[in-house]
Amino acid sequence: MELMDIKAIIDKLKSTRDVSDAELEALLAAEDEEALAYLGACAREVREKIYGKAVYIRGLIEFTNYCKNSCYYCGINCKNVKADRYRLSDEGILDCVREGYELGFRTFVLQGGEDPFYTDDKIISLIRGIKTMHPDCAVTLSIGEKSEASYRAYFEAGADRYLLRHETASPLHYAKLHPADLSFENRMNCLKLLRKIGFQVGCGMMVGSPFQTTQNLIADLRFISEFKPDMCGIGPFIPHKDTIFKNEPQGSLDLTLKLLSIIRLLVPDVLLPATTALGTIDPEGREKGLRHGANVVMPNLSPVSVRDKYALYDGKICTGSESAECIKCLSARVACAGYEIVVDRGDHKSA
Ligand code: 5AD
Ligand code: FES
C-alpha cells in the first residue's frame, strides 16, 4: 500500500477511531519508516492533549515468584524447577514502599505469581499496611485470577487498581499459550468482575507471542477498544531458556511500537506503560515507547537481591541497579524522550 493510503488510515483512526479490519491489517503490515513515524506523531499528539508531558511512575514490587500456574511462555511457571523461588516478608515489602515514597513514587504495584501462600488475609493486611503508611498513594494489585469475593475484599481494604493482562483475545490462541486448567473465559470474566467492583483495570498482551497471527492482534485491538481499560500493558514476547518456548523468536520492536500508537489512538485516555520488556529488546526501547504514545513507566522497587529471580523472560534489564540509581537513569531517559517524570498518583483521566 502507498504511504499516502496508510496515512489516510491513520488520520481516520485518529479522528473517528473507526477503521475496518482490512485497514488495521494494512496498518500492522506497513513497514515504511515514515508511516511508523507519522503514526507515532499522531499518538504523541493525542497523549499530550490529555496527559501533557507528564510521565507517571509506578513502583513495582515483585513480592513472590512462586506460582501455581504453568503458562507456557513464563519463566516462573510452576514446572520450571530451575527457578530460584523467593517470597518477600511483609516488612520487606513495606521497606520497598518506604524507599519508593522517598524517591517520589505515589503508586505501588504488588505483583507476584499466583502464590497460595499469600492468603486473602495476608494480601488485605499488606494493602492496609501501605494505605495506613501512605494514604496519598494508590495501591495496584497484579496477582492473577481470584474469586469475586477475594477481589471485593481487596477493593474494600483499599486497593485502587488491578492489572490482569488478558494475554490474547482469541480463545484458540489462548489455548496454545496455556495448559488446559487455565481458561480464556475465566480470565475475561475476571476482568469484567474487577471493573464491576470498581477497580481501575488494566489488561494487555504480549506482541509476537508464539502462534500469534495478525488476526489475533486485530482481535486484541477490538477487545481493547470495546473494553476501554484504564491501563493497557503491551510488551514484546521474549523467550525464557527454561520454557518450552525457548526457541521461539522474540516479538518485534517496530510492531510493539505500532501497537502502542494504535492503542493510544483507539483509547485516547488509556494509561500506557513503556514496559521493561520493551527496554529489554532494545537499549532505547522505553524511550521509543514514550515517543509512540506511552505515558507510564514501571521501575522495579524490589530489593536487588531478588531482582534477577523474578525472571519471566531472559535478559531483563535493571536487575543489578538499586531503586535510587534506576529512577535517576530513568529520569534521564524520560527527559531524553522529551517528557518529565512527575510525583503523582497518576490516576486515569477521562478524555
Ligand atoms: N515475555 C514477555 N512477557 C512475558 N510475560 C510473561 N512471560 C513473558 C515473556 N516470556 C508477561 C505476561 C504476564 C506479565 C506479568 O508478563 O503478559 O501477564
Ligand atoms: Fe533501571 Fe536504567 S532504568 S537502570
Side-chain angles (χ1 to χ4, degrees):
M1 205 180 266
E2 298 282 329
L3 179 59
M4 224 175 66
D5 299 322
I6 296 289
K7 283 190 170 172
I9 297 174
I10 297 170
D11 287 337
K12 187 170 164 203
L13 179 59
K14 184 174 155 207
S15 56
T16 70
R17 286 173 233 163
D18 184 17
V19 288
S20 68
D21 283 6
E23 287 169 326
L24 281 176
E25 197 174 338
L27 202 49
L28 292 173
E31 283 184 347
D32 193 295
E33 254 177 50
E34 206 182 321
L36 184 59
Y38 185 68
L39 178 61
C42 291
R44 262 196 321 271
E45 186 188 328
V46 167
R47 170 257 204 262
E48 287 175 23
K49 215 181 262 168
I50 301 168
Y51 292 101
K53 296 278 187 190
V55 169
Y56 297 141
I57 49 173
R58 320 296 194 196
L60 191 60
I61 304 171
E62 297 162 335
F63 67 98
T64 171
N65 72 349
Y66 281 84
C67 190
K68 65 180 170 66
N69 295 332
S70 59
C71 305
Y72 300 149
Y73 44 83
C74 180
I76 63 165
N77 81 76
C78 65
K79 298 270 168 65
N80 182 9
V81 293
K82 291 192 185 156
D84 184 3
R85 306 284 171 176
Y86 73 90
R87 291 184 177 114
L88 296 184
S89 65
D90 289 7
E91 215 21 70
I93 294 170
L94 294 180
D95 283 345
C96 296
V97 170
R98 217 167 278 126
E99 186 182 357
Y101 192 89
E102 291 294 310
L103 291 170
F105 289 87
R106 296 297 178 267
T107 288
F108 298 98
V109 183
L110 291 178
Q111 183 169 88
E114 290 195 18
D115 179 358
F117 172 84
Y118 292 93
T119 56
D120 285 352
D121 284 347
K122 287 201 174 84
I123 297 290
I124 287 165
S125 122
L126 279 168
I127 298 166
R128 293 219 172 101
I130 299 173
K131 282 289 191 176
T132 308
M133 196 153 87
H134 295 302
D136 55 331
C137 290
V139 171
T140 304
L141 298 176
S142 177
I143 52 175
E145 297 176 26
K146 306 276 178 180
S147 68
E148 177 167 5
S150 298
Y151 284 152
R152 210 171 274 287
Y154 306 153
F155 188 71
E156 280 163 9
D160 304 273
R161 311 183 185 135
Y162 205 104
L163 306 179
L164 185 75
R165 288 190 175 183
H166 66 285
E167 308 297 358
T168 169
S170 312
L172 290 177
H173 185 217
Y174 194 91
K176 292 181 182 172
L177 298 177
H178 302 93
D181 63 320
L182 291 173
S183 96
F184 173 78
E185 287 70 27
N186 193 57
R187 198 150 189 99
M188 288 301 194
N189 194 44
C190 284
L191 282 169
K192 291 190 184 115
L193 289 174
L194 289 162
R195 153 96 24 106
K196 184 180 83 177
I197 291 166
F199 284 100
Q200 292 182 39
V201 183
C203 65
M205 75 281 180
M206 294 175 282
V207 177
S209 60
F211 309 108
Q212 187 179 62
T213 62
T214 301
Q215 291 312 311
N216 293 150
L217 284 174
I218 292 173
D220 288 321
L221 292 173
R222 295 291 180 214
F223 168 70
I224 292 164
S225 74
E226 197 177 310
F227 185 66
K228 294 198 175 40
D230 300 285
M231 299 159 276
C232 189
I234 306 288
F237 162 76
I238 305 173
H240 184 287
K241 60 184 184 333
D242 303 318
T243 63
I244 59 168
F245 290 154
K246 62 178 173 224
N247 295 321
E248 297 292 327
Q250 68 181 27
S252 113
L253 172 72
D254 280 356
L255 186 56
T256 308
L257 296 176
K258 230 187 260 179
L259 282 157
L260 284 173
S261 298
I262 295 173
I263 292 166
R264 170 62 65 206
L265 296 180
L266 281 172
V267 189
D269 52 15
V270 74
L271 292 159
L272 206 53
T275 57
T276 304
L278 189 56
T280 297
I281 62 161
D282 184 289
E284 289 182 18
R286 287 167 299 175
E287 293 88 320
K288 289 175 185 170
L290 293 172
R291 285 197 208 98
H292 285 82
N295 66 329
V296 172
V297 285
M298 301 174 69
N300 200 322
L301 285 183
S302 313
V304 173
S305 57
V306 302
R307 285 219 190 158
D308 58 337
K309 298 183 180 142
Y310 201 83
L312 310 185
Y313 48 80
D314 292 334
K316 191 173 166 194
I317 52 169
C318 300
T319 56
S321 312
E322 294 289 345
S323 306
E325 288 171 52
C326 222
I327 191 70
K328 228 166 122 188
C329 167
L330 201 53
S331 302
R333 289 169 178 273
V334 167
C336 220
Y339 292 100
E340 187 195 1
I341 286 180
V342 293
V343 177
D344 194 298
R345 273 173 50 121
D347 282 299
H348 174 263
K349 290 187 183 172
S350 289

